[in-house]
Amino acid sequence: MEFTYRCLIIDDESPAHKALASHIAKFDDLEHSGSAFSGMEALKMLNENKYDIIFLDINMPVISGVELMESQPNRPLTIVTTAYSDFALSAYQNDAIDYLMKPISFEKFSKAIEKARTFYSGNNLKKENTACGKVLSYRANGQMIDILLSDIVYIESLGNYMKLYSTKLKSPTIIYGSLASICEEIDHSDFIQVHRSYIVNTREITSVTYKNLTMSNAEIIPVGRKYQILLDSFFR
């Protein structure tokens, strides 16, 4: 049986509720499970019910969407829906998975839902062994792509996303997932976390100082204070 995602719409305007509810109804695996017309009402519903995805407006009275996100760090997966572009950085800093500008087309809504499915699937990252070495498989642009772990220079956290820097790619690849999730996939004899936002391939480090690392691609990676002792012990 296919999993059904319970959705909560949070917006102070009725037309926005109707538009989102109409989009939700077009998906067999989405269920419109609640509607909140203020931040206060949303907080009550989030405390009393379980939801998988929330569609959150930013500009609401009393409690704004940003304030709600900041007060609920463990809230369901959040897709921001707003008429304002000014709050995109705040939304992503609070781990929103997408930021949709009103009026929201069905195409953009569908892409946001695909991101949510990918995030929940648990199949976004998969490690396999091949004759060439350990391979990390990830989903990007709707298809699975393989990359050798040994080719990764470092991984940078971007909230719900990660940037993979590889010796084989001209530009970094952005995928869904967290450093915590990828820590379960990498070989800890070759990779080490040196900052809350960075995991590096130790084979690609060219120089080490107290505050930063230089990587083989000439990038400078900061070393977090709490990781300095771990780094020292690693290179003893």
Side-chain angles (χ1 to χ4, degrees), residues 11 13 26 45 58 80 116-117 130 148 150 165 167 173 175-176 194-195 201 223:
D11 200 299
E13 298 180 349
K26 294 180 173 67
M45 295 180 71
I58 289 291
V80 169
R117 288 196 190 107
T130 69
L148 281 171
S150 58
Y165 294 79
T167 58
T173 298
I175 65 173
Y176 306 117
V194 297
H195 187 277
N201 185 343
V223 176

Side-chain angles (χ1 to χ4, degrees), residues 123-138 144-150 184-187:
N123 294 321
N124 189 52
L125 292 172
K126 185 179 179 182
K127 187 177 70 176
E128 298 176 351
N129 292 322
T130 69
C132 297
K134 295 176 181 178
V135 170
L136 187 68
S137 297
Y138 60 89
M144 294 303 295
I145 298 174
D146 294 336
I147 182 172
L148 281 171
L149 281 173
S150 58
E184 299 175 3
E185 307 294 336
I186 60 176
D187 187 339

Side-chain angles (χ1 to χ4, degrees), residues 196-213:
R196 66 179 181 177
S197 299
Y198 293 94
I199 290 176
V200 303
N201 185 343
T202 58
R203 297 176 184 273
E204 297 295 330
I205 297 173
T206 58
S207 68
V208 180
T209 70
Y210 188 68
K211 292 185 177 180
N212 56 56
L213 307 172

Side-chain angles (χ1 to χ4, degrees), residues 57-69:
D57 185 26
I58 289 291
N59 191 25
M60 295 187 294
V62 185
I63 298 178
S64 71
V66 171
E67 290 171 330
L68 189 146
M69 284 190 288

Side-chain angles (χ1 to χ4, degrees), residues 51-106:
Y51 303 98
D52 302 297
I53 302 171
I54 60 174
F55 298 92
L56 178 64
D57 185 26
I58 289 291
N59 191 25
M60 295 187 294
V62 185
I63 298 178
S64 71
V66 171
E67 290 171 330
L68 189 146
M69 284 190 288
E70 290 174 345
S71 70
Q72 297 281 304
N74 297 317
R75 68 189 179 279
L77 206 62
T78 302
I79 297 172
V80 169
T81 58
T82 181
Y84 303 90
S85 61
D86 312 42
F87 303 98
L89 178 59
S90 296
Y92 286 119
Q93 285 177 335
N94 283 285
D95 295 336
I97 197 169
D98 212 339
Y99 192 93
L100 303 181
M101 295 288 295
K102 297 176 181 177
I104 299 168
S105 69
F106 182 68

Side-chain angles (χ1 to χ4, degrees), residues 150-167:
S150 58
D151 290 338
I152 295 176
V153 179
Y154 67 92
I155 304 161
E156 179 182 2
S157 172
L158 298 172
N160 281 331
Y161 303 83
M162 294 181 290
K163 272 187 180 181
L164 299 183
Y165 294 79
S166 168
T167 58

